[in-house]
Every structure is written in C-alpha cells, then in structure tokens.
Amino acid sequence: MLIANHTGKEHEDIGWAIGDAIYEYLVKQGKTVEDIEKNPSEFAKLVVKKLQEREIIGPTVARSTQKAIKEVIPYTVKLINKMWPKDHNIKHLRAMEEAFSPDTRDPVRTLKAAGIDITEELEELRNAIAEVTGKKPKAATKGRKKKPSSTKKAVKGELIKSRVPENVKLEAWKLLGVLNGLKYSGYSERAVEKAVEDLLAEGKELAERGDLETLGIYLWTAHLLRERRFGEAEKFLRRNS
C-alpha cells in the first residue's frame, strides 16, 4: 500500500519484492524483527534494492522511497508484534492460518475472535502511510467482488506459478510427498490429524524464523487437510511446485 501510494501506481510485483527482502533479511542473514526495529534504514535500503531489481522503481525515486519505508517501519513492526504476540499459542497460529486464507472475507475479525485485536494498530499504520505519501489509502471494497473470468484466472495462475521462489517450490514438493502418503493410507483420520499437527508445528517454527513465504504454504495446506479437501490441497501444491 505504501509503495503503491508513494509511486502513484500499482504493480503486481511489489509484494514479491518485499517478500524477497524479508526472506533475505530474516532467513539468509538470520536477523530478526527486532533488528528491523533497531535499524530501520538497513531494511528499508534492502527493500528498495529489491524493488529496483524488479524494475518497480527507478533511481530517481529510490532515496525518497527508502525514506518513506523507514518512516512507516515502527508502525508496521507494532502491527506484526500484535498479530504474532510473544506469548503466542496454537490458537493464535490457527487464527493466522484462517486470516491469511483467500476464503476469509474479514481477516481482522478472524484475528479478533482469537484475542488478537489489530484494529488500532492497523488504523495507525494506515494514517502513517497517508501522512508519509500525502494520499489517503484506499478503503477496503465492500460487498462481494466480481468473479474473474476463467481466462483471467488461468493467466493469473500462470503468473503466480512463474514467480514462486525456489525454496517454496521445494517445500511444495515435500508436502506433495506427505499428501501422497496420506493417499496411500486411505486418508485415515489418525494419519490426517497427525499430518496437520506436524504441519502446524513446522509452521510455528517457520513463523518464529520469519520465513513467511514458506509459512503460507504450510498453513494453507494444513487448513485444507483439516477440512479434508485433499483434491484442492494437491492442486494448490502443484501450482506452487
């Protein structure tokens, strides 16, 4: 939202650039959210580098973009800490799993039901973005969204698949192996329950390491298995492998 408002244009690769920066900083460099909080300029510089690598911004706006990112980092960290409290438990993990699901219409309400009320932090972040960019963030669209055509969905699916990071592809292949094991067991209740438990346990470790890209794969697969939507789980993993 910040980058789109700051540059005055939306770009489908913005999320991927930020994901690249998060992965490099938290996973490859082994740093933490606390490090981002202590040295926001360092992380802001990395995000700008990734944005330039994907040709989302040019050198003329690099400096101002870095400054804008740095200014909203404190509000972003505050929101992250509220979403993932230090005393987190399995209830919080499952709430985040549901909130990040594309089927969830109101993620904020989902988190609130689990005792994680991010309303105030989200509003502070939106106001900070508006102040930094001088543009009011777009309000969430009310009502049901118009369904995309099958052609548009197919094109979108291919674009997403082409940009799946290699580490996520590897994890998707591993999870396909788990799914095949469940298939051979006849999807027994105990085997499925054990698989979900293992995926959520791994998801907790991924969240603590800051590997958000892989976390999404594990949480959504666990959700589909719990719902016994095995066909959808296989399609989801194959799209990301």
Side-chain angles (χ1 to χ4, degrees), residues 4 7 16 24 35 37 43 45 48-49 58 61 71 73 78 104 118 120 130 136 156-157 169 185 189 198 200 225 230:
T7 60
W16 288 104
E24 181 170 324
D35 290 320
E37 195 170 14
F43 183 69
K45 184 177 180 180
V48 168
K49 176 186 173 185
V61 295
E71 289 183 16
I73 279 178
K78 187 177 179 180
T104 300
I118 63 170
E120 181 180 333
K136 186 176 180 180
K156 183 179 179 183
K169 289 182 181 181
S185 74
E189 195 70 30
D198 290 345
L200 291 178
L225 292 185
F230 305 118

Side-chain angles (χ1 to χ4, degrees), residues 2 5 66 90 113 115 117-118 152 175 185 203 227 237 239:
L2 167 69
N5 282 358
Q66 183 176 326
I90 194 67
D117 188 355
I118 63 170
K152 286 183 178 179
L175 293 179
S185 74
E227 297 289 319
L237 291 171
R239 281 201 308 270

Side-chain angles (χ1 to χ4, degrees), residues 4-224:
N5 282 358
H6 179 71
T7 60
K9 61 180 180 180
E10 295 184 3
H11 196 296
E12 60 186 10
D13 273 0
I14 289 175
W16 288 104
I18 294 172
D20 291 343
I22 290 172
Y23 180 72
E24 181 170 324
Y25 194 84
L26 299 179
V27 181
K28 287 188 175 180
Q29 297 184 23
K31 296 188 178 181
T32 65
V33 174
E34 286 78 11
D35 290 320
I36 296 177
E37 195 170 14
K38 291 175 184 175
N39 193 354
S41 295
E42 181 183 51
F43 183 69
K45 184 177 180 180
L46 179 59
V47 173
V48 168
K49 176 186 173 185
K50 297 301 180 182
L51 289 168
Q52 288 183 295
E53 286 176 357
R54 289 181 177 268
E55 299 181 349
I56 298 168
I57 63 171
T60 56
V61 295
R63 185 180 294 274
S64 61
T65 302
Q66 183 176 326
K67 182 175 182 293
I69 294 171
K70 177 186 174 182
E71 289 183 16
V72 301
I73 279 178
Y75 301 95
T76 307
V77 170
K78 187 177 179 180
L79 176 62
I80 290 171
N81 288 335
K82 190 66 175 289
M83 288 178 65
W84 189 246
K86 290 183 178 179
D87 60 343
H88 56 263
N89 54 41
I90 194 67
K91 181 182 179 182
H92 294 144
L93 184 61
R94 287 174 176 165
M96 288 186 68
E97 169 195 340
E98 185 178 351
F100 288 135
S101 162
D103 294 333
T104 300
R105 295 176 63 87
D106 192 341
V108 176
R109 181 178 293 180
T110 298
L111 292 171
K112 191 173 182 178
I116 305 174
D117 188 355
I118 63 170
T119 307
E120 181 180 333
E121 290 75 15
L122 191 59
E123 186 62 23
E124 286 181 0
L125 177 59
R126 288 173 61 84
N127 289 337
I129 291 173
E131 186 175 340
V132 168
T133 63
K135 299 176 184 178
K136 186 176 180 180
K138 292 180 181 179
T141 304
K142 293 183 179 180
R144 193 181 296 271
K145 290 183 179 180
K146 184 179 178 181
K147 281 190 174 182
S149 67
S150 57
T151 303
K152 286 183 178 179
K153 284 195 290 185
V155 172
K156 183 179 179 183
E158 288 304 310
L159 284 171
I160 291 173
K161 185 172 182 179
S162 68
R163 296 192 181 95
V164 175
E166 289 303 317
N167 64 305
V168 174
K169 289 182 181 181
L170 179 60
E171 294 301 324
W173 273 112
K174 285 167 59 177
L175 293 179
L176 277 171
V178 172
L179 195 61
N180 282 332
L182 292 175
K183 186 184 297 185
Y184 292 135
S185 74
Y187 300 114
S188 73
E189 195 70 30
R190 179 57 196 145
V192 172
E193 287 178 3
K194 181 64 168 60
V196 171
E197 288 174 7
D198 290 345
L199 291 177
L200 291 178
E202 180 65 23
K204 184 175 180 180
E205 291 184 13
L206 290 167
E208 290 172 347
R209 293 204 305 265
D211 189 350
L212 303 184
E213 290 177 328
T214 309
L215 173 63
I217 292 283
Y218 273 78
L219 291 184
W220 187 237
T221 301
H223 172 74
L224 292 175

